[in-house]
Amino acid sequence: MCAYVLVAEDDIKQAAIIGRYLEHEGHVPRLVHDGPAALEEARRRPPDLLVLDVMMPVVDGLDVCRILRRESDLPVLMLTARSTEEDLLRGLDLGADDYMTKPYSPRELMARIRSLLRRAERSSPAKESPVLRAGRLTVHPLRRTVLVDGRPVDCTAGEFEILAVMAAEPERVFTRKQLLGVTRGTHHYITERTVDVHVLNLRKKIEPDPRRPVHLLTVYGVGYKLADGAGEDGRAR
């Protein structure tokens, strides 16, 4: 597939290397080197994927991700020299779909990009998919939208993937490992705790009271399930 990929990287030499690899893969890269330029270009011509460096001048990558995630669900792959789990989880919490720490292999970066683009392609309108319902929740896989009582709810790509797979089989218990497999992250720093972060964020968006969930329930010692919210006694959290 040929994709338009926006690369926001303040290291000009590194950005050029990524651009050459993208061109070799048949993609069309656009290189920018600071946060404001990334925001301007993403809004002017929405890319198929954004490769986003965290440490950029003026507006850093975390803020760029936070701002763009309010406006679109384009796939975001973050690059950073920070390698702690907390930094990783912060990036995912803001809506990043994958995360690579520097130094990294350009070949691995291209593999990550291919994976993200394939996932986005499978979710394109060309593929028919039924509307999924679970209680007050409606998931449109084709449109990639989520409604609660008819009200639109913004979800990151990772949150949507988890919600869609669970809505397809309400009441089925999914392990954290299974849910981790449907998200887009493949970095070795990504752990099953990533799923907990996604679930916590989803509860804030779909539950009447996130502290006492009735839809996205914890099954202790196993994982999570999506219930219709009817007849819950409050014991599952």
Side-chain angles (χ1 to χ4, degrees), residues 61-224:
L62 294 174
D63 284 334
V64 170
C65 186
R66 182 187 297 110
I67 293 167
L68 287 179
R69 189 51 78 216
R70 296 172 186 159
E71 304 172 3
S72 73
D73 62 352
L74 71 91
V76 176
L77 191 159
M78 298 193 83
L79 305 175
T80 181
R82 300 170 177 172
S83 60
T84 68
E85 184 181 54
E86 290 305 316
D87 290 323
L88 164 64
L89 294 174
R90 185 182 178 196
L92 293 172
D93 193 31
L94 291 174
D97 301 296
D98 203 352
Y99 196 103
M100 291 191 70
T101 56
K102 300 177 181 181
Y104 56 82
S105 161
R107 292 179 62 188
E108 182 182 358
L109 175 61
M110 292 303 110
R112 301 287 189 86
I113 288 173
R114 287 194 297 271
S115 177
L116 289 174
L117 290 173
R118 282 196 301 268
R119 183 67 64 87
E121 184 180 44
R122 288 198 295 269
S123 302
S124 69
K127 297 187 77 66
E128 296 183 2
S129 184
V131 175
L132 307 173
R133 292 184 174 86
R136 302 163 55 240
L137 188 70
T138 303
V139 180
H140 292 265
L142 193 150
R143 301 178 188 175
R144 295 188 68 79
T145 58
V146 176
L147 305 175
V148 176
D149 290 334
R151 175 179 54 85
V153 175
D154 291 328
C155 294
T156 68
E159 292 166 4
F160 182 87
E161 298 296 344
I162 287 176
L163 202 55
V165 74
M166 297 183 77
E169 298 184 72
E171 301 297 336
R172 173 183 168 181
V173 179
F174 291 85
T175 67
R176 287 176 174 82
K177 185 175 182 180
Q178 288 171 326
L179 294 175
L180 187 62
V182 305
T183 64
R184 299 177 180 184
T186 55
H187 195 275
H188 66 276
Y189 277 101
I190 294 179
T191 67
E192 292 178 13
R193 185 180 171 191
T194 304
V195 173
D196 297 332
V197 172
H198 286 319
V199 168
L200 179 63
N201 290 333
L202 281 168
R203 283 175 172 165
K204 294 175 182 177
K205 298 174 180 181
I206 71 172
E207 297 285 356
D209 181 356
R211 295 169 299 179
R212 297 179 60 83
V214 295
H215 300 296
L216 192 46
L217 306 178
T218 300
V219 178
Y220 290 108
V222 184
Y224 299 100

